[in-house]
Amino acid sequence: MSTTLFPCCCGQTEETREVTLSFLRTELLYDIQNNSYVEGDVMDAGDDEHRRHPVMDVAEDGNVDRVTRILNLAHAEAVEMLYPYTKEEIPEDQAALDDTLEEPEQYDIVMTLPVSFSLTTVKKLRELIHEYMVCRVMEDWMGITNSGSKEEWAERLEKVRGKIQTTLVSRLNRVRRKLSPF
C-alpha cells in the first residue's frame, strides 16, 4: 500500500492509499453459470425443449469466448466508472493495442483513494462491481439466447450502475452534520 497526495475538491491535497480490487474469473463464471441455469430452467420453452440448452450452456466451449469478451468489456467499463480513482497515464513506450482475446485469471482494478475513503465503501464497491460484471454478461447472453429476459437483465445492470455511481458520489465530500441543541 503506497501513500501519495491526491487533489481534493477544494484545491488542497490529501494523503492517499492504493487499493486493488480483484475479481476472480472462476467466481464470475460460477455466478454467470448459476444465473444462466436458472434462466434456462424457468423459461417457457413451449414444445421446443431445444431452446432451453443454449441459455444454460453459457460457459461451454465457444460460448465462453463471448463471455470472456463481455467480461473484459465489463471490467473496462467498471474501471472507467471509477475514473477519478483509477486513471492511468499512457506510457511513452505504449505499443499498439489489438483485439486479441485475453482470458485473465482475475480482473484487477487499482484505485488511488484518499485516506479518508471508507473501507466499508470499498467493500461495497467490490460487491457492486462483481454484480455489475455478472449482469453485463447475462444481459448480453440473454440478448443472444433468450430475448424475453434481456430487458430484465438490462434493468438490473442499470440499477447496479446507478448504485456504483451513487456510492462514489456520496463519498466525494465528507458529511458534516450541524449540531442541534435539541
Side-chain angles (χ1 to χ4, degrees):
M1 188 179 310
S2 63
T3 302
T4 56
L5 295 178
F6 184 78
C8 186
C9 59
C10 60
Q12 298 177 343
T13 55
E14 191 175 352
E15 194 176 335
T16 62
R17 297 223 170 91
E18 196 172 272
V19 176
T20 302
L21 301 178
S22 294
F23 303 93
L24 301 176
R25 177 181 172 76
T26 54
E27 295 297 318
L28 292 163
L29 286 175
Y30 179 79
D31 286 351
I32 291 163
Q33 286 174 302
N34 280 340
N35 285 316
S36 294
Y37 180 83
V38 171
E39 280 287 339
D41 193 44
V42 300
M43 76 183 274
D44 181 18
D47 293 333
D48 187 7
E49 283 297 314
H50 180 69
R51 286 187 47 223
R52 193 180 306 272
H53 84 83
V55 173
M56 296 174 155
D57 292 345
V58 67
E60 298 302 316
D61 288 341
N63 297 346
V64 76
D65 293 341
R66 178 66 186 170
V67 170
T68 299
R69 292 238 184 240
I70 300 303
L71 278 174
N72 292 349
L73 177 60
H75 174 255
E77 290 170 347
V79 169
E80 194 63 23
M81 276 190 274
L82 302 171
Y83 172 73
Y85 306 111
T86 59
K87 64 182 177 180
E88 296 177 44
E89 290 184 19
I90 300 173
E92 287 183 30
D93 62 342
Q94 176 65 50
L97 300 173
D98 62 32
D99 63 347
T100 303
L101 180 63
E102 294 177 15
E103 205 172 279
E105 292 293 317
Q106 68 184 36
Y107 295 89
D108 290 333
I109 298 177
V110 179
M111 300 189 312
T112 303
L113 301 170
V115 173
S116 61
F117 207 91
S118 170
L119 179 59
T120 57
T121 303
V122 173
K123 290 177 179 180
K124 181 179 178 184
L125 283 171
R126 177 193 63 202
E127 300 304 320
L128 288 169
I129 292 167
H130 176 95
E131 186 67 14
Y132 177 84
M133 293 176 77
V134 170
C135 287
R136 184 68 176 87
V137 171
M138 290 300 297
E139 183 244 0
D140 180 75
W141 191 249
M142 290 303 114
I144 295 169
T145 62
N146 185 17
S147 58
S149 211
K150 180 182 174 28
E151 283 303 311
E152 292 173 37
W153 285 101
E155 286 176 25
R156 283 175 128 177
L157 181 65
E158 286 309 310
K159 278 184 184 178
V160 174
R161 184 191 322 261
K163 286 180 182 180
I164 291 170
Q165 291 168 341
T166 301
T167 300
L168 288 175
V169 170
S170 69
R171 296 301 177 207
L172 285 178
N173 297 318
R174 289 185 182 150
V175 177
R176 304 245 188 236
R177 294 194 177 131
K178 292 182 180 180
L179 294 176
S180 172
F182 303 104

